[in-house]
Amino acid sequence: MPLYYQVAQLIRTEISEGGFAVGEQIPAERDLLARYGVSRITVRQAIDSLVQEGILLKQQGRGTFVLGVPARDTMTELAGSLESIEVLGKETDVRLLSASFVLCPSPIGRDLKTDAKEHVLKVLRIRSSNALPFAYLTNWLAERWASQIDLNDLRQRSLLAQLRELGTMPDSADQTITATLATPEVSQLLETPVGSPMLKGYRVYFHRGEPIMVLESLYRPDRYAYRVRLSAKSPQLAGIWLAGEES
């Protein structure tokens, strides 16, 4: 990842977290040099990139000021609810990249409980909010369910919508969220530099206890956040926090 981009991300994060308010002046170049241990040209490149994004404003003879706070375009505010995932889908735009049957990769096969020689439906999509891409999605659907999916209809309707009509709507899911870096392909589609940090989601959908679909998702963390409301279910269990819906 370019050094200037790393510095820009640090400044962006500090602004997002309230370190600098709109209209406030950020530290001078010499202070940023000392803070980040980089060259003057690196600091200038970082500031220029944030100026182009509309986050900073340079004023000749006065300094550099915060023009706007970076905002996440999309935020899902509840976990544990498959309905919330559908709401997110209705409130954002999806572009279908491809949909085809491929041999099932071993890691996916283990979670779908399929044979290595079995084919699965692989669906690639980009999700955007306000015309800004924020998610790269890869669905893997087991062949026994995928054979009933209308591939031509995927440009208009989601996999979840089609599964509901088939009577196999997922009723539960296991999800893991980790971190990774953007590959060249993903960086181009999500309009972010190669090596940028990404939120990585891995979700296995179940129908009556049987795995039917895997979703691998990559999110730009500057445009997407996953928030969970935790609550103590009783005074006796006040030290145990459970994830649940946010009202």
Side-chain angles (χ1 to χ4, degrees), residues 25-44:
Q25 185 176 5
I26 68 169
E29 274 189 9
R30 61 179 179 276
D31 297 321
L32 294 175
L33 298 179
R35 175 183 293 191
Y36 300 122
V38 295
S39 67
R40 186 177 300 275
I41 189 170
T42 298
V43 167
R44 288 180 176 175

Side-chain angles (χ1 to χ4, degrees), residues 137-170:
L137 309 171
T138 306
N139 283 88
W140 307 86
L141 187 60
E143 186 174 28
R144 55 190 174 278
W145 308 108
S147 59
Q148 305 174 66
I149 295 295
D150 184 350
L151 299 187
N152 295 322
D153 200 25
L154 285 177
R155 297 187 184 277
Q156 307 297 328
R157 294 191 302 150
S158 68
L159 277 170
L160 288 178
Q162 290 201 42
L163 287 172
R164 178 191 287 106
E165 290 186 0
L166 294 171
T168 53
M169 177 67 179

Side-chain angles (χ1 to χ4, degrees), residues 11 14-15 19-21 23-29 31-32 35 43 46-47 50 55-58 62-67:
I11 297 173
E14 195 163 357
I15 295 172
F20 302 107
E24 185 177 349
Q25 185 176 5
I26 68 169
E29 274 189 9
D31 297 321
L32 294 175
R35 175 183 293 191
V43 167
I47 290 175
L50 294 173
I55 296 172
L56 295 179
L57 174 68
K58 293 174 73 174
R62 293 192 59 206
T64 304
F65 298 81
V66 177
L67 184 61

